[in-house]
Amino acid sequence: MRRAACQRRLLLLLNQEAQASRCSCTGALSASCNASTQASPAGCLPSTSAPNISTACISGFTRPLRQFSAVAQVMLAEESGDAVRSHFSQNGIQCSFETGKLAPLSDGSCLVKCGQTWVLASVSCSEGFRMRDRTSPNVTVEYREPLSGVGRMPGGRSKSEGGPNDREAETAMLIEKAIMPLFPAGFNHNLTVTVSMLCTDGTAPASSLAVNAVSAALMCSNIPWNGPVAAVQIACSESGEGSIMQASVAELAAASMSGIYVGTADSALLADFQGTASSPQLLSSALQAAQAALPQILQAQQQLAAQHSSTTATAVAESEGYAGCDPAAAANIIAVATPKVQRILSDSNADMSRVQRDAALKEAKEAVVQELTARGIFRFSALRNLGSGCATQPDVDWVWQEVQSRVIRDMAFKDNLRVDGRGFIDVRPASFQAGVLPVVHGSALGQQGLSQVLVTSTIGDDGSAAKSEGITGELRQQLMVQLNARVAAATEASTTGRDRVTQVEKNRNSRNIGRLLERGLQATLPATHFPFAVRLNVDLLSGDGSEAMAALSAASLALGDAGVAVQAHVAGMEVAVFTDSPHSAMDGKAGSSQFEVVLDPNELESNFSDVLVQVVATQQGITALHVDSVQRGGVPVGVLTSALAAGWEGVQAQHGRMKACIDQIAGRPGQKLGSVRVPNDRVGRLIGPKGSVINKIRDDTGAVITIDESHPDHAQVLFFCPQRHSAEATEQAIRGATGIDLYEGSVHTVKVIRMMDFGAIVEFPSGSSSLLHISQISHTRVNTIHDALSLGQELQVKVTGHDQRGNLQISHKALTEPEAVESYDYQGSGASQKPYQATNARFQQSGGKRNQRDQGVQKARMPYVAVVDASQ
């Protein structure tokens, strides 16, 4: 039964490939296919890699077809469960690539095993709708870490997996960035990459394994791709122990700087690091060590692809020329468009703003179409014959981007000029301002050239942190960043009625601002326990390159304006790397001999550079580094270290521009953050019945209060106040509710708020109240409470202790001396007597008899009582 099913699958596959071959051959292409069919051996399908077929002249690539015997061999291998494997070792762990057993219906699949961590990747490719309108492939990456891989069940009533969490989304973005630069020009199909972590013991990080698995899957498929790539996880420390390649999860957590590095045999494609302040030399050595660790992973993938290709006889067709453009038409378009672009981007127009430059380029593009039409070489797509030299609108759209890239590179390498007239290391003017918005917790405005960013910071309690469920348990995100790209940032009108611009959000540099801010600012939060959640709202008001750098500086100032005691303020600098050979970069071939490093690129330079390097650092060291390949091919690691050194110098200059604003924040009186140490047995008093006491303090002061009970002998009550003047009131309220300041012997100024016959209720400055008994007001007798006190009167009291019920006992007379009484020497000894002793002495002198006047008074006061006999 299974063999019969296998045969049916084989016949269906061959039928589909034959139909695809017949459908793809039209016109002159059909003649070439027929010629190749006649030259093919008997029993074999024609190959689409004939020398007289230019794959760039068709909308996409034509899949290479397999021989009958090869396909049958693959199907039988899948039926028998055989798999092709290759092995490598890193950090003392045996790893392997495996293909041919799992996901047999995908275009390519690979299973990576590293210890007890298994990651499966599969790729599928198909043609899409309106492919000629796309200049690059439509890549969709889905990475998941199911809880079943660690033997756990998801929460919730449905017990099913939800959407991807933050870590899964970051890994998917990482995979997309790693593979995108190596697709050849002309490939614009739909590509779906599915990666799943099947199981893990929690020791090996899955991000690098996922990138390696996808690279091996693409190598084992018939999808045109100039791979392979390899990824390693790096853990490095300032202690001089060196860098650890393919580090474990524990080693990454303990390192002062950790991250991932992706590259080919001779180029760096992607790097993402974060940690505490580290020196540029440490990062440079880590990058070089990572590049040296890639060859064994790359060789293992090449061995796997060689064994797999020998089994499947798959050939990959190289693309030539421009994506979706007739090479004959490209020459005519370049000849017309190049002078117009050179005139707009020349040094004479260096003072143009982005709006003016974009408008001029748009007009020039329309002029190119008009000139081609006047020459009679512009056609509709349906009426154009390939090779005739006639151009279509899609041809103009695709070549227009290449013309701008050529002009920018020629200006840099031949004329030593930039688009806006600056030098290669010149930075645009920058300005920063903190506290620009009222009411909010903290705000700052940053501007770098024409890029303007407004950042608002909000502080919440620990329960406000973002939470998600992952394989390691609950994932908590203390620092959250929300990026809002406004319409004004891209000089475009919204067509959807929403104040968002889709093109800006899809831009790689803008899309990574939030993630870069989180990594760069995490190390600057207070070193001591900081049980607060921080949310940064980043509004991109205007974008002209280096938006992330302006946002970083403004975000750091917004945290300081909110009262967060950051360890050090951070600044950022963006560096663009250009090569002198855009064609080799587009084809993914290492042929560039010259490189130029440009600081603070504008929007046009960022879009057409080969690599963007973003450096985030304090004045002491680097806290985050991100390297992203914009064009195809990447750059050597030596060029990357040079860009890192230039970025470090630019960050130090940026700190000088921020100094005035930092001094202004530090000079403000009062603090918004504070803490009070409370004994563990008094935490209940602060909370109160059902949280009534602590909620009243929050409502009265507007403070965010959190209690840290991690210490064994005391609890730490931390609070944040939106207004600086309410911080003192919040601290007093906490101290009063817990009574930590009302210890025996302490003196306080109180206010009378209520009067009763037996005493008065007084209020302490902290808000707590207590009874002042009438006997504790004065040393002399007080007939009524109104004779000694009045409502609203302030007086000082001393804490004398607590009664058996724990109530506070206070006294006012304990702070005053008793009134002086004249002493009486009844024996002539001159000894000073107390008042009651003097009274006793006078009584004894009278012979123990009362005064006759007193006795008469007593007799007069005796009432007369008549006795009546009731019986009479």
Side-chain angles (χ1 to χ4, degrees):
M1 294 291 292
R2 298 183 62 186
R3 184 170 293 276
C6 181
Q7 292 176 355
R8 287 194 299 270
R9 289 171 54 200
L10 172 62
L11 295 177
L12 179 61
L13 178 61
L14 295 177
N15 187 23
Q16 292 176 351
E17 290 183 349
Q19 291 179 1
S21 176
R22 287 193 298 270
C23 294
S24 62
C25 300
T26 56
L29 190 59
S30 299
S32 301
C33 291
N34 293 333
S36 63
T37 304
Q38 297 175 1
S40 301
C44 297
L45 290 178
S47 173
T48 58
S49 58
N52 57 347
I53 300 178
S54 177
T55 59
C57 299
I58 61 177
S59 60
F61 76 101
T62 303
R63 290 191 179 183
L65 305 182
R66 304 178 176 92
Q67 298 180 358
F68 283 11
S69 58
V71 176
Q73 188 175 358
V74 172
M75 299 297 292
L76 292 177
E78 294 174 356
E79 181 68 21
S80 61
D82 295 337
V84 180
R85 297 182 180 86
S86 63
H87 301 272
F88 68 97
S89 175
Q90 280 211 342
N91 199 15
I93 302 176
Q94 293 296 326
C95 306
S96 64
F97 293 102
E98 179 180 318
T99 187
K101 184 176 182 179
L102 301 179
L105 295 183
S106 60
D107 291 337
S109 64
C110 180
L111 174 66
V112 176
K113 299 179 182 179
C114 186
Q116 295 184 355
T117 301
W118 294 15
V119 178
L120 174 64
S122 60
V123 293
S124 300
C125 183
S126 64
E127 296 183 356
F129 178 70
R130 298 187 65 177
M131 293 177 53
R132 289 186 58 84
D133 294 340
R134 296 202 303 257
T135 59
S136 60
N138 182 20
V139 179
T140 302
V141 180
E142 181 181 0
Y143 174 79
R144 300 307 299 267
E145 295 178 348
L147 296 179
S148 59
V150 292
R152 288 176 48 207
M153 295 184 65
R157 297 183 59 184
S158 61
K159 301 299 179 184
S160 60
E161 302 283 352
N165 55 40
D166 292 339
R167 184 166 60 184
E168 291 172 339
E170 289 180 4
T171 306
M173 185 185 300
L174 183 72
I175 296 172
E176 180 183 353
K177 291 181 180 180
I179 64 177
M180 280 292 292
L182 297 183
F183 286 108
F187 178 72
N188 55 0
H189 285 52
N190 293 329
L191 181 67
T192 301
V193 180
T194 305
V195 188
S196 178
M197 190 190 64
L198 302 183
C199 62
T200 181
D201 57 355
T203 58
S207 300
S208 58
L209 299 180
V211 175
N212 294 331
V214 173
S215 175
L218 287 171
M219 292 294 294
C220 296
S221 69
N222 58 353
I223 301 173
W225 189 62
N226 299 310
V229 299
V232 292
Q233 293 278 355
I234 312 171
C236 46
S237 176
E238 291 282 1
S239 59
E241 299 177 356
S243 302
I244 304 175
M245 297 297 110
Q246 210 63 35
S248 63
V249 175
E251 291 171 338
L252 292 173
S256 60
M257 180 66 68
S258 61
I260 188 171
Y261 177 87
V262 182
T264 62
D266 52 7
S267 298
L269 298 176
L270 176 66
D272 198 2
F273 287 82
Q274 71 170 347
T276 57
S278 302
S279 62
Q281 294 76 14
L282 177 66
L283 273 175
S284 299
S285 60
L287 293 173
Q288 295 173 356
Q291 180 65 36
L294 299 184
Q296 56 176 335
I297 305 177
L298 298 173
Q299 292 175 4
Q301 296 184 41
Q302 292 170 349
Q303 292 174 3
L304 183 74
Q307 297 176 16
H308 186 70
S309 62
S310 63
T311 304
T312 59
T314 302
V316 177
E318 292 279 348
S319 296
E320 300 174 0
Y322 298 96
C325 178
D326 184 5
N332 295 329
I333 299 174
I334 292 175
V336 176
T338 300
K340 301 181 183 300
V341 176
Q342 288 177 342
R343 183 170 58 255
I344 296 174
L345 302 183
S346 62
D347 189 46
S348 59
N349 294 324
D351 56 346
M352 272 189 175
S353 64
R354 177 187 173 180
V355 177
Q356 296 172 340
R357 189 180 298 111
D358 290 347
L361 290 173
K362 184 178 180 180
E363 293 177 0
K365 185 177 179 181
E366 295 174 353
V368 170
V369 175
Q370 295 175 0
E371 185 170 345
L372 293 176
T373 304
R375 293 185 181 183
I377 54 176
F378 187 80
R379 297 286 188 274
F380 292 107
S381 299
L383 303 178
R384 192 268 307 269
N385 293 326
L386 295 175
S388 63
C390 295
T392 63
Q393 186 62 47
D395 295 338
V396 176
D397 294 340
W398 287 337
V399 176
W400 183 255
Q401 303 295 324
E402 178 63 21
V403 170
Q404 296 181 67
S405 178
R406 282 188 174 186
V407 171
I408 292 175
R409 294 170 194 274
D410 290 343
M411 292 176 59
F413 288 98
K414 295 180 181 180
D415 304 328
N416 293 328
L417 294 176
R418 294 177 65 175
V419 174
D420 52 7
R422 289 180 292 151
F424 291 152
I425 61 174
D426 292 339
V427 180
R428 292 173 293 180
S431 61
F432 304 97
Q433 183 180 358
V436 294
L437 298 178
V439 181
V440 300
H441 292 178
S443 61
L445 179 67
Q447 185 162 351
Q448 186 86 20
L450 293 179
S451 298
Q452 190 178 62
V453 179
L454 176 64
V455 182
T456 305
S457 60
T458 306
I459 311 298
D461 56 8
D462 194 37
S464 303
K467 305 178 185 66
S468 60
E469 192 174 12
I471 59 173
T472 58
E474 185 183 49
L475 303 177
R476 299 175 60 86
Q477 189 175 359
Q478 184 184 25
L479 180 62
M480 301 159 284
V481 178
Q482 173 77 34
L483 173 64
N484 301 316
R486 301 292 178 181
V487 171
T491 66
E492 297 181 10
S494 176
T495 58
T496 61
R498 298 176 59 193
D499 193 11
R500 300 288 185 272
V501 180
T502 306
Q503 288 78 3
V504 175
E505 293 181 344
K506 288 185 177 180
N507 184 275
R508 285 193 171 190
N509 188 26
S510 298
R511 186 174 56 183
N512 296 324
I513 290 179
R515 188 164 175 264
L516 185 65
L517 261 66
E518 293 173 2
R519 292 178 176 269
L521 294 171
Q522 187 66 44
T524 66
L525 293 180
T528 57
H529 186 58
F530 186 69
F532 294 100
V534 182
R535 183 180 182 271
L536 296 174
N537 189 74
V538 182
D539 283 321
L540 181 60
L541 305 181
S542 176
D544 190 21
S546 297
E547 298 91 351
M549 306 303 101
L552 275 164
S553 301
S556 180
L557 295 174
L559 287 177
D561 184 57
V564 179
V566 295
Q567 301 182 47
H569 286 278
V570 299
M573 182 55 61
E574 188 169 283
V575 183
V577 180
F578 288 92
T579 63
D580 63 341
S581 180
H583 301 290
S584 61
M586 292 188 66
D587 294 338
K589 302 175 183 177
S592 301
S593 58
Q594 296 182 7
F595 300 89
E596 200 64 63
V597 175
V598 173
L599 286 182
D600 186 23
N602 57 27
E603 185 71 16
L604 200 62
E605 294 170 334
S606 298
N607 292 336
F608 294 106
S609 62
D610 292 277
V611 172
L612 280 178
V613 181
Q614 295 171 334
V615 183
V616 184
T618 64
Q619 290 184 329
Q620 290 74 31
I622 298 175
T623 60
L625 172 68
H626 183 75
V627 179
D628 191 7
S629 295
V630 181
Q631 301 292 339
R632 295 173 174 87
V635 295
V637 68
V639 178
L640 192 59
T641 56
S642 300
L644 175 61
W648 169 255
E649 297 295 333
V651 168
Q652 301 306 312
Q654 193 80 333
H655 276 289
R657 303 181 182 93
M658 295 172 56
K659 187 177 185 304
C661 192
I662 294 174
D663 295 340
Q664 178 185 359
I665 295 175
R668 293 177 181 174
Q671 295 293 333
K672 294 184 177 182
L673 284 170
S675 62
V676 178
R677 180 177 294 186
V678 177
N680 290 329
D681 57 350
R682 299 191 182 183
V683 174
R685 298 184 183 181
L686 175 62
I687 299 175
K690 298 182 179 180
S692 58
V693 177
I694 192 171
N695 289 334
K696 184 179 184 303
I697 298 175
R698 289 169 176 168
D699 296 339
D700 294 342
T701 62
V704 179
I705 303 175
T706 180
I707 302 175
D708 176 22
E709 298 182 276
S710 59
H711 302 280
D713 54 345
H714 68 275
Q716 196 78 9
V717 180
L718 299 101
F719 60 89
F720 166 79
C721 297
Q723 305 298 330
R724 298 180 184 272
H725 60 79
S726 61
E728 183 178 355
T730 303
E731 182 176 355
Q732 291 180 355
I734 295 173
R735 292 181 175 275
T738 56
I740 57 177
D741 286 343
L742 304 179
Y743 55 89
E744 186 174 356
S746 59
V747 180
H748 306 273
T749 301
V750 297
K751 181 180 181 181
V752 179
I753 60 175
R754 183 182 176 188
M755 301 179 67
M756 296 174 291
D757 294 339
F758 52 87
I761 303 298
V762 295
E763 184 182 27
F764 290 87
S766 59
S768 62
S769 59
S770 180
L771 172 66
L772 176 61
H773 197 268
I774 191 172
S775 63
Q776 299 296 324
I777 297 177
S778 174
H779 292 281
T780 60
R781 177 181 176 81
V782 178
N783 294 326
T784 61
I785 191 67
H786 297 280
D787 295 340
L789 299 176
S790 60
L791 284 176
Q793 179 182 348
E794 293 185 353
L795 69 158
Q796 286 189 331
V797 295
K798 181 178 181 180
V799 178
T800 59
H802 295 78
D803 59 13
Q804 295 179 353
R805 296 182 178 182
N807 297 324
L808 187 67
Q809 292 183 339
I810 57 177
S811 174
H812 173 65
K813 71 178 185 180
L815 298 176
T816 61
E817 295 293 334
E819 296 182 0
V821 179
E822 183 180 356
S823 61
Y824 180 75
D825 189 3
Y826 66 95
Q827 291 182 350
S829 60
S832 177
Q833 303 295 328
K834 294 182 178 180
Y836 71 89
Q837 293 176 337
T839 304
N840 293 340
R842 289 196 299 268
F843 179 73
Q844 292 175 2
Q845 286 181 355
S846 63
K849 297 180 181 180
R850 291 183 177 273
N851 190 289
Q852 295 296 329
R853 183 181 60 84
D854 294 339
Q855 293 179 3
V857 173
Q858 293 292 339
K859 291 179 180 180
R861 291 178 181 176
M862 292 180 62
Y864 174 77
V865 180
V867 180
V868 180
D869 188 358
S871 62
Q872 296 179 1

